């Protein structure tokens, strides 16, 4: 009754004649659409006490939505910036790894000229690139777990280091790294080795 981030207080039920209160809350559970019962509830309350006003009628979904508005806004903002950071990181990873693989074009041309097959060249480049990316993903998971511990105060009934989220993040990172290795390596491996060695 005080918020999702606070423990519920002990409650004592008492007769309103013994403990007068400024207002009362009426809660109804129904299988019908809740707002369709407003007129009937007003009629019943008026029949019990014509001077008893009935105000602030809302569904439980509205109550929860209002109570969690601040947390949902924070989550939306943090989610937006997290996606933006992931996109920028993905572009950066792709650019760096693609540049490194492109610099090895002459090496790949030399390997092809000495008899290596296209698949051998591709597997060598992918193995080398993914080894570095895997080390980066492992380091990122460790740092992400540490950062998540500091965000635990903003979460409610959610573990700060969710294995599913961390696993999906690492998988996405490795997928970007694989594409960054595979695309330029495939292009270089399929090119004419003589032309590559001449720098054409």
């Amino acid at each position: 009754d005080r918020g999702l981030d606070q423990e519920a207080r002990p409650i004592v039920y008492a007769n309103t004649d013994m403990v007068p209160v400024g207002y009362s809350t009426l809660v109804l559970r129904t299988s019908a659409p809740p707002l369709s019962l407003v007129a009937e509830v007003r009629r019943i309350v008026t029949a019990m006490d014509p001077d008893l006003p009935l105000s602030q009628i809302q569904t439980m979904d509205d109550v929860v939505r209002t109570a969690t508005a601040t947390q949902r806004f924070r989550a939306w903002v943090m989610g937006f910036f997290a996606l933006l950071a992931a996109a920028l990181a993905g572009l950066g990873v792709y650019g760096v790894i693609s540049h490194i693989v492109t610099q090895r074009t002459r090496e790949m041309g030399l390997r092809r000229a000495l008899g290596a097959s296209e698949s051998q060249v591709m597997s060598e480049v992918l193995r080398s690139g993914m080894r570095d990316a895997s080390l980066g993903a492992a380091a990122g998971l460790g740092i992400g777990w540490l950062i998540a511990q500091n965000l635990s105060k903003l979460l409610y009934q959610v573990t700060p280091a969710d294995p599913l989220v961390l696993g999906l993040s690492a998988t996405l990172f490795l997928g970007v790294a694989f594409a960054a290795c595979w695309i330029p390596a495939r292009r270089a491996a399929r090119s004419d080795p003589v032309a590559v060695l001449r720098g054409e």
Side-chain angles (χ1 to χ4, degrees):
D1 63 339
R2 301 167 65 195
L4 293 176
D5 56 339
Q6 299 183 47
E7 294 294 331
R9 295 174 295 181
I11 295 176
V12 176
Y13 291 95
N15 191 311
T16 53
D17 293 337
M18 298 169 54
V19 183
V21 292
Y23 67 92
S24 297
T25 302
L26 177 65
V27 181
L28 299 178
R29 176 185 291 178
T30 175
S31 56
L35 296 180
S36 67
L37 302 176
V38 172
E40 182 67 13
V41 171
R42 282 190 188 278
R43 187 186 65 74
I44 294 171
V45 171
T46 302
M48 292 172 57
D49 186 347
D51 296 328
L52 190 62
L54 189 62
S55 61
Q56 294 183 351
I57 299 172
Q58 52 188 335
T59 65
M60 191 56 71
D61 288 338
D62 294 334
V63 173
V64 172
R65 193 176 299 115
T66 301
T68 59
T70 302
Q71 290 84 358
R72 286 185 294 110
F73 177 74
R74 287 178 184 166
W76 188 90
V77 171
M78 289 178 65
F80 171 77
F81 283 111
L83 287 176
L84 182 62
L88 291 175
L91 286 173
V93 167
Y94 182 87
V96 169
I97 294 181
S98 178
H99 178 69
I100 292 171
V101 173
T102 302
Q103 284 185 323
R104 297 181 62 184
T105 301
R106 288 181 60 82
E107 174 195 338
M108 288 183 270
L110 182 59
R111 287 175 183 266
R112 290 292 311 281
L114 292 175
S117 67
E118 180 180 327
S119 61
Q120 288 175 325
V121 171
M122 288 283 294
S123 63
E124 170 61 28
V125 172
L126 288 173
R127 187 167 43 252
S128 174
M130 294 308 292
R131 182 184 61 240
D132 295 341
S134 298
L135 291 173
L141 284 174
I143 294 171
W145 184 84
L146 290 174
I147 292 174
Q149 301 307 309
N150 293 327
L151 297 177
S152 60
K153 294 178 181 177
L154 300 176
L155 304 175
Y156 305 101
Q157 298 181 350
V158 176
T159 56
D162 189 343
L164 178 63
V165 172
L166 292 176
L168 287 175
S169 300
T171 302
L172 177 64
F173 171 80
L174 292 174
V176 170
F178 180 83
C181 292
W182 186 75
I183 293 173
R186 181 172 176 267
R187 184 172 56 241
R190 287 189 169 185
S191 59
D192 182 14
V194 177
V196 171
L197 291 174
R198 287 177 178 171
E200 298 175 1

